[in-house]
């Protein structure tokens, strides 16, 4: 078992070795660009060793922001062939190529944390003044383009947008998307065992959606009308909700942005009411719902638990979720598995179908603390800590054996360890 200091040094070393001169790749080879929520979380790790580098991570992520406010899920800062689908396949013709979807909007929450924990307050103040208008535009984009009918629930158009790509929560909706009819070469399997990655049937549909966005000229109205995959994703909704609450506080403290407070507060209220339609009494949980067919999926995942992080559950609902979570923690020994082991589609080692992700466990721990569930919070933190002590800094971990899975020397795992566990 590695000593604490040694683990800290290793984590900092990982950030440095993944640093591409201002942005951090999640891991070399498998993910050779800058990812949206990875960058935000990785910045928290940089805060522990180099604050100016942490702010730079956010600046470079926001360099990829679209004119309409979207912050894309991947920023292709350079051409690298070890990943598919790259910039060419996405077909976004901009000076800085990106994908055409976003990712869970944890960014504003993390920027707020960074300003609070900054030692260099002057640096943080200048950085925030620069970044805040871009965060405001990003959140307006979510509500305007992803909830154009003001329902209170934003939609997501791709499993990659959820950040929980291969979750069984999307299986049925993704199966309704046509597969592509051409062959292609996946690059992820050059880096990771196939039993830890999605199957071909999922990739065929991921690519169909990529082609669809391009054929729609990335037009938000056309995509909203015609996209064959539209999901009310509890994870995305909850993370956005918490981030909007944090953004409101940041805007209140800056006179130049205060005009946005009322609009965001109205959105918060709308979501708090609308999210109740996703509550399922039988499952004692919020559930993801297909926004086209309106079918709810009784698949409990860490995404559905994130309603606690989003502070969207009533006290009574939170207690019901706590009961489910106790059972969840009792079945699988390591932290909170990404899919509840009682679900049919659960697999302890396959991407988002069972393994443990540290950053999600950290978000859950924050949610548990909000609701006063101290014991579960401590339990989760202790077993998350066991994972890095026993296996190191992998992308994710087998929730039954604790073995490292996916990419090694992984930035967000190192960053969350520095921020939360060490
Ligand atoms: C991948 O390619 O697996 C990524 O998770 C997409 O964001």
């Amino acid at each position: 078992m590695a000593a604490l200091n040694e683990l800290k040094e290793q984590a900092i070393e990982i950030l440095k070795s993944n640093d591409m001169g201002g942005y951090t790749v999640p891991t070399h080879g498998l993910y050779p660009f800058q990812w949206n929520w990875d960058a935000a979380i990785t910045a928290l790790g940089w805060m522990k060793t180099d604050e100016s580098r942490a702010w730079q991570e956010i600046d470079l992520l926001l360099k990829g922001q679209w004119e309409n406010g979207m912050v894309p899920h991947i920023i292709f800062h350079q051409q690298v062939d070890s990943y598919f689908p790259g910039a060419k396949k996405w077909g976004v013709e901009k000076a800085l190529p990106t994908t055409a979807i976003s990712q869970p909007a944890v960014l504003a929450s993390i920027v707020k944390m960074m300003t609070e924990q900054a030692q260099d307050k002057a640096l943080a103040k200048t950085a925030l003044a620069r970044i805040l208008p871009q965060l405001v535009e990003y959140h307006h984009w979510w509500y305007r383009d992803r909830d154009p009918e003001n329902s209170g629930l934003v939609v997501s158009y791709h499993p990659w947008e959820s950040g929980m790509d291969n979750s069984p929560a999307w299986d049925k909706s993704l199966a309704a998307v046509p597969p592509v009819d051409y062959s292609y070469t996946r690059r992820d399997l050059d880096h990771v065992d196939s039993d830890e990655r999605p199957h071909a049937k999922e990739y065929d549909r991921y690519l169909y959606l990529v082609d669809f966005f391009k054929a729609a000229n990335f037009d938000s109205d056309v995509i909203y009308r015609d996209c064959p995959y539209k999901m009310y994703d509890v994870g995305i909704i909850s993370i956005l909700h918490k981030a909007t609450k944090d953004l409101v506080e940041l805007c209140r403290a800056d006179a130049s942005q205060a005009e946005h407070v009322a609009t965001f507060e109205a959105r918060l209220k709308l979501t708090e009411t609308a999210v109740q339609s996703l509550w399922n009494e039988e499952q004692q949980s919020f559930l993801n719902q297909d926004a086209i067919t309106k079918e709810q999926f009784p698949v409990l995942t860490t995404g559905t638990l994130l309603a606690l992080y989003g502070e969207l559950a009533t006290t009574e609902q939170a207690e019901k979720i706590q009961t489910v979570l106790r059972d969840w923690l009792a079945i699988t020994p390591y932290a909170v598995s990404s899919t509840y082991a009682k679900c049919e589609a659960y697999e302890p080692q396959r991407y988002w179908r069972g393994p443990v992700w540290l950053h999600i466990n950290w978000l859950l721990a924050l949610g548990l603390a909000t609701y006063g569930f101290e014991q579960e919070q401590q339990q989760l933190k202790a077993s998350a800590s066991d994972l890095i002590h026993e296996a190191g800094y992998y992308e994710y971990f087998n929730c039954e054996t604790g073995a490292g899975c996916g990419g090694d020397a992984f930035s967000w795992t190192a960053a969350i360890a520095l921020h939360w566990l060490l």
Side-chain angles (χ1 to χ4, degrees), residues 57 147 348 378:
E57 187 77 34
D147 182 17
Q378 292 301 338

Side-chain angles (χ1 to χ4, degrees), residues 30-31 35 73-74 83-85 101 103 160-161 163 165 188 197-198 203 206 351-352 395:
L30 181 62
Y31 303 124
W35 261 255
H73 111 284
I74 304 177
Y83 179 84
F84 177 83
I101 53 171
Q103 254 188 334
W160 286 340
E161 195 154 59
D165 311 6
D188 57 322
R197 291 291 300 176
Y203 257 81
Y206 296 158
Y351 208 46
W352 293 104
E395 180 181 3

